[in-house]
Amino acid sequence: MMQDQIDQYTAEINAFSPANADELETFRIKFLGTKGIIKDLFEQFKTVSSEEKRTFGKVLNQFKQLAEAKHQDLQESFKSEVENSKSEIDLTLPGDNFQVGSRHPLSLVRNEIIDIFKRLGFTVAEGPEIEDDWHNFSALNFPEEHPARDMQDTFFIKKNNGKDDIALRTHTSSVQVRMMENGKPPFRAIMPGRVYRNEAISARAHCFFHQVEGLYIDENVSFADLKQTLYHFVQELYGEGTKVRFRPSYFPFTEPSAEMDVSCTICKGSGCNMCKYSGWVEILGCGMVDPNVLENCGIDSKVYTGFAFGMGMERIANLKYVIRDLRLFSENDERFLKQFQTEII
Ligand code: DAH
């Protein structure tokens, strides 16, 4: 009778395969608990005859050991499972190493230019890349049908009354106009942005590039202020001791107009490929804002004067990083971009 029971339980224990720790606990309570089957069998054992005690004592002890061993084995396998799952979310482990990108050289240069002018009290403004003739040309004193318009090969998009009107802006000077039209002097701002020209793409020309425009309008602003501001800018950007020189030039929107050269940042003026052995590199156009432009934008040119300047960011970046092919700036080649690894904050 007892033997039958034990055989049946033995089969049950051998076949037991819990799916989780809860099922194992139910097993423990059923067989090994204080009111469990084994306890019960030992109670029954007290009542068997003394001849049977010898054989059953052994059988019963083996059965108890079987139940205990099974429980312990299973408990260990569950324990290691719990530990393994814990280690998957061990927050003390070092994090995965992942690659952060780098800033584009034009972004580096733009941010540096902005920083320098911000310290001089300039704000930053932006305007649309799709412009009308007024903001890109007419308000800036480009006469109709004047060859000055050919200085900049324009991508026209739309005609108005049979005339080319809407275009991709050819320079950021259009943002000056918007700023003066929409506000009241004084103005002290720089205007970075992308500009477009109808040019064949090569190492030295591209159909789009980037400029930073500058505008300073107030009472009594003179050419001396222009020179001092740009001189300071160059010292900050390329380092103390960088020389500047101004050459007379022509732009419809400034009078007088000038181009500014800096002593070559690569050879320090002794002559190299970059400066074509002249020791100087042109970096920007500038001048006193033409009174016609002020009046076109609703500003009294008898009260206010000011200066403006515009520079190409690719040129500025070239002089810092010696990038010989303009196309590199827009190809997004990782081998190029990776060379500008910087802390990204
Ligand atoms: N807009 C000119 C260009 O695209 C650059 C320029 C020259 C801007 C003189 C100015 C300036 O504001 O005063 O080449």
Side-chain angles (χ1 to χ4, degrees):
M1 177 65 187
M2 237 176 121
Q3 184 65 56
D4 287 350
Q5 269 183 321
I6 288 173
D7 287 347
Q8 204 184 317
Y9 289 142
T10 302
E12 189 182 329
I13 288 172
N14 283 332
F16 179 61
S17 156
N20 52 46
D22 283 350
E23 282 181 31
L24 179 61
E25 181 59 6
T26 311
F27 169 90
R28 188 191 64 79
I29 293 166
K30 180 175 173 185
F31 287 99
L32 300 162
T34 44
K35 289 178 187 154
I37 285 164
I38 288 169
K39 188 90 183 165
D40 190 45
L41 287 172
F42 272 98
E43 287 301 316
Q44 285 184 44
F45 178 70
K46 285 178 192 162
T47 63
V48 300
S49 66
S50 44
E51 306 93 76
E52 283 176 327
K53 271 204 171 111
R54 275 198 64 203
T55 40
F56 272 117
K58 207 169 161 202
V59 169
L60 203 50
N61 272 325
Q62 275 172 354
F63 176 67
K64 187 184 172 200
Q65 278 162 17
L66 173 79
E68 282 173 351
K70 178 88 179 185
H71 177 255
Q72 200 176 342
D73 277 0
L74 289 169
Q75 203 176 29
E76 248 143 48
S77 72
F78 277 123
K79 217 201 271 168
S80 59
E81 224 171 71
V82 171
E83 272 164 9
N84 282 343
S85 72
K86 258 194 214 152
S87 71
E88 271 168 30
I89 51 154
D90 184 352
L91 298 177
T92 64
L93 289 172
D96 286 344
N97 245 343
F98 68 95
Q99 193 85 39
V100 255
S102 50
R103 291 234 190 270
H104 192 281
L106 290 177
S107 300
L108 294 173
V109 163
R110 185 195 52 213
N111 292 347
E112 210 178 330
I113 295 172
I114 289 175
D115 277 354
I116 296 170
F117 280 104
K118 267 193 176 167
R119 291 198 288 274
L120 293 174
F122 282 70
T123 56
V124 180
E126 278 179 11
E129 290 179 17
I130 296 176
E131 263 303 5
D132 50 33
D133 179 274
W134 171 255
H135 292 95
N136 198 79
F137 292 119
S138 296
L140 288 163
N141 207 31
F142 284 81
E144 293 263 334
E145 313 299 334
H146 191 278
R149 285 183 191 240
D150 298 338
M151 281 165 68
Q152 311 189 336
D153 305 301
T154 311
F155 283 120
F156 282 102
I157 297 176
K158 217 170 106 184
K159 287 185 193 293
N160 246 340
N161 298 328
K163 275 201 220 138
D164 285 325
D165 185 23
I166 309 297
L168 296 177
R169 68 180 175 195
T170 59
H171 54 180
T172 43
S173 302
S174 55
V175 190
Q176 283 187 33
V177 178
R178 289 187 174 270
M179 175 163 241
M180 290 192 277
E181 279 178 343
N182 295 326
K184 281 202 168 78
F187 299 105
R188 213 188 318 174
I190 54 166
M191 297 148 248
R194 182 173 289 174
V195 301
Y196 301 82
R197 298 208 186 156
N198 194 353
E199 301 243 14
I201 297 171
S202 71
R204 299 197 300 134
H206 210 294
C207 60
F208 66 79
F209 54 98
H210 300 79
Q211 290 188 330
V212 182
E213 190 77 12
L215 179 70
Y216 189 174
I217 307 284
D218 204 346
E219 292 175 31
N220 301 318
V221 179
S222 71
F223 202 90
D225 297 317
L226 160 66
K227 283 176 86 172
Q228 183 56 36
T229 303
L230 293 178
Y231 177 77
H232 174 81
F233 165 66
V234 165
Q235 303 306 301
E236 294 281 296
L237 187 69
Y238 292 125
E240 294 284 320
T242 310
K243 293 196 196 96
V244 300
R245 77 177 182 191
F246 290 82
R247 285 176 291 102
S249 185
Y250 171 77
F251 301 102
F253 36 92
T254 43
E255 184 58 37
S257 303
E259 279 168 314
M260 187 178 87
D261 299 342
V262 294
S263 50
C264 181
T265 55
I266 308 301
C267 64
K268 306 281 171 229
S270 62
C272 71
N273 216 356
M274 178 69 89
C275 60
K276 300 198 191 85
Y277 299 93
S278 71
W280 296 96
V281 190
E282 182 214 315
I283 64 159
L284 54 81
C286 58
M288 300 306 290
V289 177
D290 192 298
N292 286 340
V293 175
L294 295 175
E295 297 293 338
N296 284 342
C297 300
I299 289 166
D300 188 343
S301 61
K302 286 184 195 71
V303 181
Y304 293 101
T305 53
F307 64 77
F309 56 88
M311 63 188 115
M313 270 196 256
E314 280 81 355
R315 171 66 64 87
I316 305 284
N318 268 348
L319 288 175
K320 257 194 142 48
Y321 305 118
V322 197
I323 299 162
R324 299 219 175 261
D325 190 328
L326 266 182
R327 291 169 290 198
L328 285 166
F329 286 112
S330 50
E331 278 169 351
N332 273 344
D333 187 329
E334 257 198 78
R335 290 165 302 179
F336 171 71
L337 297 174
K338 268 187 181 160
Q339 296 175 54
F340 302 92
Q341 284 293 355
T342 37
E343 290 278 317
I344 299 210
I345 309 162

